[in-house]
Amino acid sequence: MTTPDPLYGPTFGSYAADEVAWLLTDLSDRRLEADITQREKAIQAGTAHYAESLPVEFQPDAAYRELFATVLADTADTLATAVAVVTELVLAERGHDIVFASLARAGTPIGILMRRWARHRHGLDLPHYAVSIVRDRGIDPVALEHIAAHHDPASVVFVDGWTGKGAIAKELAAALEVVATGGGPRFDPDLAVLADPGHCVRTFGTREDFLIASACLNSTVSGLVSRTVLNADLIGPRDYHGAKFYADLADSDVSNLLLDKVSGRYAAVTAGVDAAVASVQGSDRTPTWTGWRSVAEIAQRYGISSVNFVKPGVGETTRVLLRRVPWRVLVRDPDAPELRHIFALAQSRDVPIEVVDDLAYACMGLIKEMR
């Protein structure tokens, strides 16, 4: 049985066609956006799943866009080095005949940057797909079927931007096991990420909770593609999970600017990459899930009913402020430069910030319980 053809830019998304093949269903003509507060109430009440609709896309003001530009300039070398390290680990352990499968959408720019590093350092031209994974629903089985029909499943490397408490790492492993035990192909569940502050995976560029610039915005830094949608009214059993292409936001798009800024620093950071890789290889990379335990402690300390309302790390806190209903933000060091955009977003939404000296992450975003 055949699978749908992938989608490519510029028809879908603003990335070049050779950078990524989107294994998604185009829902651009559908009205899926819901008011953030009403959407949050429905999700928490259990009457809707978060993947059935989309939050209204946050559009930053001029001051925030300027802050993003500063963040990108300040962190380009750090990002480039983390990309290089995680890519070198993957190539050393999985070989050069690999396929990148990024978890859309946060993983997509990271997958492109890893692909660019593999070309820069090793002259490789590696396939790259973007696939959807949904918490509590698993990874897109039709997308996996498509990849398995064109590549050796053992060669597929799943890519994401960062780990929070590790929910997606767990979701990926469980979903791939279901596919394999059900008679489907067996994929390697090892997830490659730039930052693993939660100690949830063994393949990472760093375990520091640092700012990944692509976390600062939504679609305008992710190829103008929405987060993925899994809605039974729109997605059939032989369809890929869906997403929208926000072509109308092209004037604000910085997706390729980010890619070019970071990959433009590859030559400058190359000299230090081997030592950084050796340092990671020489460390204990065993996942300990310490992040999950610290999240449970914060939930108990603040009387929060579920760890799902605690989003740890810079990337996850940014997501809370961009598309959820935040209750408060916890920060370890209020003077940390990587938190400037967190303070800007919190101020714009009147969200209180609390300093917690013993926080295991640089920051945490707490979602408001809609009781």
Side-chain angles (χ1 to χ4, degrees):
M1 191 176 296
T2 60
T3 54
D5 292 333
L7 301 174
Y8 297 94
T11 305
F12 184 87
S14 61
Y15 294 133
D18 64 339
E19 300 266 35
V20 61
W22 300 92
L23 298 183
L24 296 172
T25 298
D26 187 355
L27 300 178
S28 302
D29 62 344
R30 303 288 185 155
R31 185 167 181 80
L32 295 167
E33 291 78 12
D35 173 79
I36 290 179
T37 301
Q38 294 304 314
R39 183 174 181 271
E40 188 70 42
K41 286 181 179 178
I43 292 170
Q44 292 190 23
T47 58
H49 190 273
Y50 79 90
E52 293 174 342
S53 64
L54 292 170
V56 176
E57 286 274 320
F58 165 78
Q59 294 306 309
D61 58 20
Y64 189 83
R65 290 196 299 271
E66 184 176 340
L67 176 58
F68 169 80
T70 301
V71 164
L72 181 56
D74 290 348
T75 61
D77 280 17
T78 304
L79 278 169
T81 300
V83 168
V85 169
V86 70
T87 309
E88 290 297 327
L89 287 177
V90 167
L91 293 173
E93 297 181 356
R94 303 286 297 275
H96 287 195
D97 186 18
I98 58 172
V99 177
F100 290 128
S102 296
L103 303 182
R105 72 183 164 187
T108 309
I110 310 308
I112 294 175
L113 287 169
M114 291 176 68
R115 183 178 180 275
R116 287 188 179 189
W117 175 265
R119 176 179 289 172
H120 164 78
R121 185 78 182 271
H122 302 281
L124 300 174
D125 188 11
L126 300 175
H128 176 216
Y129 298 92
V131 303
S132 170
I133 187 169
V134 175
R135 186 168 40 93
D136 303 327
R137 304 288 177 86
I139 196 165
D140 187 339
V142 183
L144 293 184
E145 184 181 329
H146 179 91
I147 294 173
H150 294 83
H151 307 278
D152 178 1
S155 71
V156 176
V157 177
F158 292 96
V159 173
D160 207 357
W162 58 85
T163 63
K165 52 184 178 284
I168 289 299
K170 287 186 175 182
E171 187 78 39
L172 177 66
L176 294 178
E177 185 61 27
V178 168
V179 170
T181 56
R186 182 165 290 279
F187 293 86
D188 190 327
D190 187 40
L191 181 63
V193 300
L194 280 197
D196 178 38
H199 292 242
C200 310
V201 299
R202 63 178 304 277
T203 305
F204 52 85
T206 179
R207 276 185 164 154
E208 294 296 319
D209 187 14
F210 84 107
L211 173 58
I212 299 172
S214 57
C216 292
L217 298 167
N218 284 318
S219 66
T220 53
V221 77
S222 303
L224 295 181
V225 174
S226 74
R227 65 163 304 141
T228 59
V229 174
L230 183 55
N231 186 317
D233 293 335
L234 303 172
I235 305 298
R238 296 300 301 166
D239 294 329
Y240 300 129
H241 293 184
K244 295 183 72 167
F245 170 33
Y246 291 117
D248 58 308
L249 300 180
D251 288 346
S252 303
D253 189 23
V254 291
S255 304
N256 288 291
L257 171 67
L258 180 139
L259 296 178
D260 293 344
K261 285 282 189 182
V262 176
S263 61
R265 301 301 300 164
Y266 285 172
V269 305
T270 296
V273 166
D274 290 341
V277 172
S279 177
V280 173
Q281 289 174 323
S283 66
D284 184 356
R285 295 157 56 197
T286 306
T288 61
W289 302 92
T290 54
W292 194 285
R293 291 196 296 274
S294 68
V295 165
E297 291 169 3
I298 288 295
Q300 184 177 25
R301 187 186 305 181
Y302 284 85
I304 297 170
S305 65
S306 169
V307 292
N308 288 335
F309 297 132
V310 181
K311 301 296 184 180
V314 179
E316 291 302 301
T317 302
T318 306
R319 282 179 166 179
V320 170
L321 291 165
L322 287 176
R323 62 190 195 212
R324 301 297 294 268
V325 178
W327 175 46
R328 66 181 64 190
V329 170
L330 311 181
V331 302
R332 188 171 56 206
D333 177 7
D335 297 320
E338 65 269 19
L339 299 184
R340 285 175 295 183
H341 76 292
I342 295 288
F343 277 82
L345 287 172
Q347 183 178 20
S348 71
R349 298 196 63 183
D350 295 322
V351 178
I353 293 179
E354 183 175 330
V355 177
V356 180
D357 295 333
D358 63 344
L359 207 62
Y361 295 78
C363 57
M364 288 187 181
L366 308 184
I367 295 172
K368 184 177 181 180
E369 296 193 58
M370 314 294 280
R371 293 169 176 163

